Amino acid sequence: MGKKKEKRFWKKIILVSICGLLCGGVGAGTLAAYTYVRQHAGKEAEETGKKQESESISNQENNEAFKQTAENAEERVSSVYDVSVVWDNVIPAIVEIETKSVVSYRFFGREYEQESRGSGTGVIISQAEELFIVTNNHVVDGATEITVSFVDGTAAQAEVKGTDVEGDIAVLAINFSDLSEDTMRNIKIATIGDSTGLSGGEMVIAIGNAAGSGQSLTVGYVSAVDREVEIEGIKMRLIQMDAAINPGNSGGALLNAKGELIGINNAKLVASDVEGIGYAIPISEVVSIVNRMLNREEIDYEESAFLGIVGQDVTETFSELLNIPVGIYISEIEEGSPAKQAGLPLYAVITEVNGITVKTKEQLGEALSYIRGGTQGTVTVQERVNGIYVPKEYAVTFGVRGKDREN
């Protein structure tokens, strides 16, 4: 991370009394997104570098692009004593991710821009119409250029296919025309396991681009399953394990003893009196998020949906201070708008659109961009009733956004 960026970042951390840094990348200009695990007071949380994912995508059977594939895998099976087998089987599905972004800053009243670089990991999950790679959202958030390097040392440019801020998951896509025949022969799709049956004490293996210096492997055990952790105000239920997780591991693969992907590493708890606490997103949750991304329709901007509201973000801090739910506070409703016609109440807080959680105006706009204007859907709000906020769902016929619509 560049010195100036690092200083500004830590000043911000000190001001909001956050103790931890989740390292979303390694090198100058590391992308840091999720920065705080607030499960234990006074302990630091550290994002673990870049992403890795392993899963296979089949032909949209039952509208599922991404699903468990372990039962179909014909792989050598490792024992507790021979994790080298896992390495041999999985490493062709693991990629290194390098990102570039532009960081703006002000100095003596003038604004400057500086190129920032980051690194991470990803996992190949499909070779359908494009090569799809899954990683953490915080690894590629804000990136203007994404380069993916494969097991054979070749590299290609990738584009973001979809992101989920809440789940900290992103899917990257690479055109097959950008890959050589040799590379296609050397890479493979990762085998997806089942995280729903995990229990404490099971051996796990983590592979990732630790410290941005290349792929490496660590071994440990599941410490807890379904552990609730709060990162940057977002509550997640994660797998807790004691396998060593280091900067650069974000998006890395968490595997069982058979080499099946059961989680995506994304956070580490750091404190002077804490050791061996890392977290991973369960693969069952990743599968759900990826399927939603890959199955949603791409819609032209002018044909996408709008509500016709003016809103303000209710952050975690404001929520605690004012006792208002986190979401988008409706401060104005446009006359004749879809929101007005649906009966959305003024001063309520929008929390979901068509069942998708939204906590900021940016997330609301993204959700609406994947809804076709003129279609019917639902908007869930937290509405104040007798001094208490209660959830209520409203049926809405979305308007056509048009050139000048934002929400």
Side-chain angles (χ1 to χ4, degrees), residues 38-91:
R38 230 183 332 183
Q39 186 181 18
H40 301 286
K43 295 186 175 66
E44 297 178 300
E46 184 173 6
E47 287 261 273
T48 60
K50 304 278 169 173
K51 311 175 181 170
Q52 275 174 297
E53 298 241 282
S54 45
E55 214 55 1
S56 68
I57 293 185
S58 65
N59 295 329
Q60 312 255 335
E61 182 179 6
N62 296 325
N63 206 33
E64 288 186 357
F66 183 41
K67 63 182 180 180
Q68 180 181 342
T69 56
E71 67 272 18
N72 299 321
E74 295 181 1
E75 302 281 5
R76 291 192 300 146
V77 177
S78 74
S79 69
V80 192
Y81 308 101
D82 188 10
V83 295
S84 65
V85 176
V86 171
W87 176 271
D88 291 339
N89 287 340
V90 175
I91 200 64

Side-chain angles (χ1 to χ4, degrees), residues 34 137 162-170 289 292-293 356 366:
Y34 288 42
N137 176 68
T163 62
D164 187 296
V165 177
E166 295 286 314
D168 193 20
I169 292 296
I289 292 172
R292 187 167 67 243
M293 287 182 191
I356 298 175
E366 182 179 1

Side-chain angles (χ1 to χ4, degrees), residues 4 75 224 243 378:
K4 293 182 180 178
E75 302 281 5
T378 59

